[in-house]
Amino acid sequence: MMKNKFTLILFFFSTLLFSQNSVFWKVTKDGNEGYILGTYHFLGRNFLTENKIILEKLKNSNIALSENIDSAKVFINIRKENENLKKLNKLEFETIKKIVPSYVDVNKMSLRELIVIIDGKITTKFCLTEKEKTDTLKMDDYLKKYSIDNEIKLLGLEQTKQTFELINNNLYSGFVEDKLLNILKSKIIFLNSDKQNINCSIVSEYRTKKHLFNFSRESQEKMITLRNKNWIDKIDKTIQENKKAFIFVGLYHLDFKDGILELLKNKGYNIEEIQLN
């Protein structure tokens, strides 16, 4: 009985190991190829420079696709001021003012947009190492810069305005402004505290350059699924027209049965993971 139990444990452990897949993938169809990197938005350029195969594949590509490439200031700074932000006290307002990029007018941002930004700052504060925090040029921004520096055509899968519209239409759907304000206030308190009460397993997993994918289950993140379906035809067309393409999007866009990898598979692509050292 003990032997059978031990065998079962070994089987489960080995299954878990082989379920861990790379964050970097190659897709091919009709002699055309694409390289797809699932990024972790809060990590920086060091991850990329330490995994040179990623930059090599980008440099050898004819085109690069990112989630978006245009600035949010174009549409945010022409809005009217958000009156709800006047309900924040001085410390609360100063906190969000510090974390919002200087080129964007914080007074004109929505509560949902600010919640997303402060969630990112919370992750950075409590989940990144001190070395990672000093890497100010984030992964996606470095890939955009690298593309431009190497004269690789760079396109966005959607406009930043569309991304923000999706956030405002889907995040905390149905919540009234006062409830959103309370959520923002509680997150500000958490950010300003020294108590770590956040699950950092995703960034810990990403540091191993692997992710536990589940291609048989639907994602619970409706916004990610919607964006994937909006993008997939453009990704397919870009690969076919440019022969060699490089796509970099947030890691969770690759996961689940409605993720980019499975959607490309459904379009006849061969999917192959690339192991990183």
Side-chain angles (χ1 to χ4, degrees):
M1 182 70 179
M2 181 62 71
K3 183 178 179 181
N4 290 339
K5 189 173 182 180
F6 182 69
T7 302
L8 184 63
I9 291 171
L10 281 178
F11 174 78
F12 174 77
F13 185 66
S14 62
T15 303
L16 183 64
L17 284 177
F18 282 105
S19 297
Q20 293 280 348
N21 296 299
S22 176
V23 298
F24 194 38
W25 297 74
K26 179 181 179 180
V27 298
T28 53
K29 186 175 81 170
D30 301 330
N32 304 314
E33 60 186 38
Y35 291 89
I36 305 180
L37 175 67
T39 64
Y40 188 79
H41 296 315
F42 307 117
L43 289 178
R45 77 178 106 188
N46 285 339
F47 181 92
L48 300 166
T49 56
E50 291 169 1
N51 296 274
K52 294 182 180 179
I53 188 174
I54 297 173
L55 296 179
E56 287 172 3
K57 295 302 182 183
L58 172 55
K59 192 171 185 178
N60 291 327
S61 296
N62 298 320
I63 192 168
L65 286 178
S66 176
E67 292 185 25
N68 41 57
I69 59 173
D70 55 316
S71 175
K73 70 177 182 180
V74 175
F75 59 91
I76 288 180
N77 290 356
I78 62 173
R79 294 173 178 171
K80 294 181 180 179
E81 290 191 359
N82 185 348
E83 295 296 319
N84 286 293
L85 297 182
K86 295 179 180 178
K87 299 176 183 178
L88 297 174
N89 62 40
K90 185 177 179 180
L91 176 61
E92 291 167 339
F93 185 76
E94 286 301 314
T95 298
I96 63 169
K97 190 175 180 181
K98 286 178 183 177
I99 67 176
V100 171
S102 59
Y103 55 81
V104 175
D105 188 344
V106 64
N107 296 286
K108 298 181 179 181
M109 296 194 71
S110 75
L111 296 177
R112 288 180 175 87
E113 292 162 0
L114 291 171
I115 288 170
V116 169
I117 289 177
I118 201 167
D119 276 341
K121 292 298 179 181
I122 289 171
T123 298
T124 298
K125 178 177 179 178
F126 293 114
C127 294
L128 299 194
T129 65
E130 291 306 313
K131 181 181 177 181
E132 288 168 345
K133 290 176 185 177
T134 63
D135 201 355
T136 54
L137 190 58
K138 298 307 177 188
M139 185 181 294
D140 297 77
D141 291 332
Y142 182 74
L143 289 168
K144 293 174 189 177
K145 182 179 184 300
Y146 188 91
S147 299
I148 294 169
D149 290 346
N150 287 276
E151 299 182 344
I152 301 163
K153 187 176 182 181
L154 177 65
L155 295 177
L157 286 164
E158 66 190 16
Q159 293 183 338
T160 303
K161 185 176 182 180
Q162 292 176 291
T163 310
F164 277 59
E165 286 174 351
L166 284 165
I167 289 170
N168 287 316
N169 291 332
N170 292 277
L171 185 67
Y172 295 108
S173 179
F175 281 39
V176 297
E177 294 295 288
D178 282 348
K179 194 167 185 178
L180 290 171
L181 190 66
N182 287 334
I183 292 171
L184 179 61
K185 282 173 171 282
S186 66
K187 288 180 181 290
I188 290 171
I189 292 171
F190 184 38
L191 178 64
N192 289 331
S193 74
D194 294 322
K195 296 180 180 179
Q196 181 174 346
N197 185 23
I198 178 174
N199 187 344
C200 297
S201 60
I202 298 302
V203 64
S204 297
E205 179 186 82
Y206 196 89
R207 289 190 189 104
T208 70
K209 308 173 187 74
K210 297 182 185 295
H211 174 68
L212 184 60
F213 286 89
N214 188 335
F215 296 127
S216 62
R217 185 164 65 89
E218 290 185 1
S219 170
Q220 300 302 305
E221 298 290 341
K222 293 182 179 179
M223 193 173 89
I224 291 179
T225 299
L226 178 61
R227 294 173 79 195
N228 290 344
K229 291 179 178 178
N230 289 342
W231 296 346
I232 198 64
D233 287 340
K234 186 172 184 177
I235 292 173
D236 178 28
K237 184 179 179 182
T238 299
I239 295 172
Q240 295 305 307
E241 290 183 350
N242 293 275
K243 309 301 180 185
K244 288 186 178 182
F246 189 98
I247 300 100
F248 55 102
V249 294
L251 178 64
Y252 279 111
H253 287 287
L254 276 57
D255 207 348
F256 302 105
K257 67 185 297 183
D258 38 24
I260 287 173
L261 293 176
E262 282 297 295
L263 292 176
L264 285 175
K265 194 174 180 181
N266 293 339
K267 284 183 173 290
Y269 281 83
N270 180 58
I271 310 295
E272 175 187 351
E273 60 179 300
I274 300 173
Q275 292 297 333
L276 300 175
N277 296 327

